[in-house]
């Protein structure tokens, strides 16, 4: 079963605008990661935020984590056409022997030129 | 290019045939994962290896699926007696896990797209 759920399922924005997507998960985690997938390709890691962190930045990406609400958000600022892709959050579980990442169904982002 | 290679990129087969996919992870990575992804969904965990040991297999994985990672290097995923429901993208990923550290980022291959006719 998938641990994370992204919201919205799809997002269409104009180039230059910001895109925000959210992820909710069910169990306690060690870290949460965001990945991007272009159509027909594998996933590419974007950013990892640990359970003791609240916010992290990487270039035009900003990720927040609220462990009390079991939720995270990914903000892409000043979007570009090349940002058109599906974005997935992925979580592990904080039980000691569970190393696999569970992915949500993703948010499909379309950036219009 | 993430450094993880999968072969073939596409596979078309008839129902009932066996298929085998190969994954070559980044050479120093000790963990290797197989995921399956269908259209509009996120990757679904199938199994993973730490070095050559298969540590977990999803309950969703039927007995028709088997994976190996001999010598802790490349891995193969075999599906026997394929069914139309097996049609999906099969993704391989690898990571470097350090003692005492939790999961680090995964490096994914481009996947093998399987179509069962």
């Amino acid at each position: 079963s998938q641990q994370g759920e992204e919201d919205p399922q799809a997002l269409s924005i104009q180039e230059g605008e910001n895109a925000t997507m959210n992820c909710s998960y069910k169990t306690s985690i060690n870290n949460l990661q965001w990945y991007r997938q272009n159509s027909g390709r594998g996933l590419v890691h974007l950013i990892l935020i640990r359970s003791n962190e609240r916010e992290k930045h990487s270039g035009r990406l900003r990720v927040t984590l609220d462990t009390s609400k079991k939720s995270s958000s990914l903000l892409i600022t000043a979007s570009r056409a090349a940002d058109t892709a599906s974005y997935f959050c992925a979580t592990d579980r904080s039980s000691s022997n569970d190393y696999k990442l569970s992915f949500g169904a993703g948010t499909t982002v379309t950036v219009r030129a | 290019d993430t450094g993880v290679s999968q072969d073939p990129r596409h596979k078309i087969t008839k129902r009932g045939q066996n298929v085998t996919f190969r994954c070559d992870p980044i050479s120093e990575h000790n963990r290797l994962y197989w995921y399956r992804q269908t259209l509009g969904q996120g990757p679904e965990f199938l199994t993973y290896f730490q070095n050559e040991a298969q540590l977990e297999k999803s309950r969703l994985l039927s007995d028709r699926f088997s994976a190996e990672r001999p010598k802790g290097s490349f891995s193969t995923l075999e599906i026997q007696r394929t069914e139309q429901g097996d049609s999906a993208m099969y993704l391989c990923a690898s990571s470097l896990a350090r003692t005492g550290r939790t999961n680090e980022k995964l490096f994914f291959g481009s996947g093998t797209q399987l179509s069962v006719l």
Side-chain angles (χ1 to χ4, degrees), chain A residues 64-76:
Chain A
T64 63
L65 179 64
D66 187 335
T67 53
S68 67
K69 294 181 180 177
K70 291 186 170 61
S71 68
S72 173
S73 68
L74 171 66
L75 168 67
I76 305 172

Side-chain angles (χ1 to χ4, degrees), chain A residues 39-64:
Chain A
S39 182
R41 307 292 296 179
L43 284 75
V44 175
H45 180 266
L46 295 176
I47 196 163
L48 180 154
I49 185 165
R50 301 197 186 278
S51 59
N52 60 355
E53 298 175 313
R54 291 296 167 258
E55 187 170 314
K56 204 161 181 181
H57 296 255
S58 176
R60 295 183 295 111
L61 305 180
R62 173 179 169 253
V63 168
T64 63

Side-chain angles (χ1 to χ4, degrees), chain A residues 2 30-31 33 35 37 40-43 45 48 50 88 92 97-101 103-105, chain B residues 9 31 33 35 37 40-43 45 48 56 89 91 101-106 108-110:
Chain A
Q2 294 185 323
N30 293 307
N31 64 60
Q33 304 182 36
Y35 288 79
Q37 184 178 35
R41 307 292 296 179
L43 284 75
H45 180 266
L48 180 154
R50 301 197 186 278
F88 298 90
D92 60 3
N97 294 323
D98 195 335
Y99 299 111
K100 65 182 182 290
L101 289 184
F103 289 81
Chain B
R9 286 280 284 126
R31 286 203 188 133
Y33 300 79
Y35 284 84
Q37 185 179 28
Q41 298 298 313
F45 170 78
Y48 90 95
E56 188 173 344
M89 172 80 88
L91 294 163
R101 296 290 297 272
T102 59
N103 249 332
E104 301 300 333
K105 63 184 181 181
L106 299 186
F108 280 84
S110 295

Side-chain angles (χ1 to χ4, degrees), chain A residues 67-112:
Chain A
T67 53
S68 67
K69 294 181 180 177
K70 291 186 170 61
S71 68
S72 173
S73 68
L74 171 66
L75 168 67
I76 305 172
T77 60
S79 63
R80 306 167 181 169
D83 295 327
T84 294
S86 292
Y87 292 82
F88 298 90
C89 69
T91 54
D92 60 3
R93 296 175 194 260
S94 59
S95 59
S96 59
N97 294 323
D98 195 335
Y99 299 111
K100 65 182 182 290
L101 289 184
S102 296
F103 289 81
T107 293
T108 300
V109 175
T110 303
V111 181
R112 306 186 305 274

Side-chain angles (χ1 to χ4, degrees), chain B residues 61-92:
Chain B
L61 215 59
S62 77
D63 292 343
R64 298 184 297 106
F65 288 72
S66 62
E68 293 183 342
R69 192 184 183 198
K71 302 179 183 177
S73 56
F74 71 93
S75 177
T76 58
L77 177 68
E78 181 183 17
I79 309 174
Q80 296 182 327
R81 305 180 304 281
T82 52
E83 301 172 356
Q84 288 185 323
D86 296 332
S87 296
M89 172 80 88
Y90 289 83
L91 294 163
C92 173

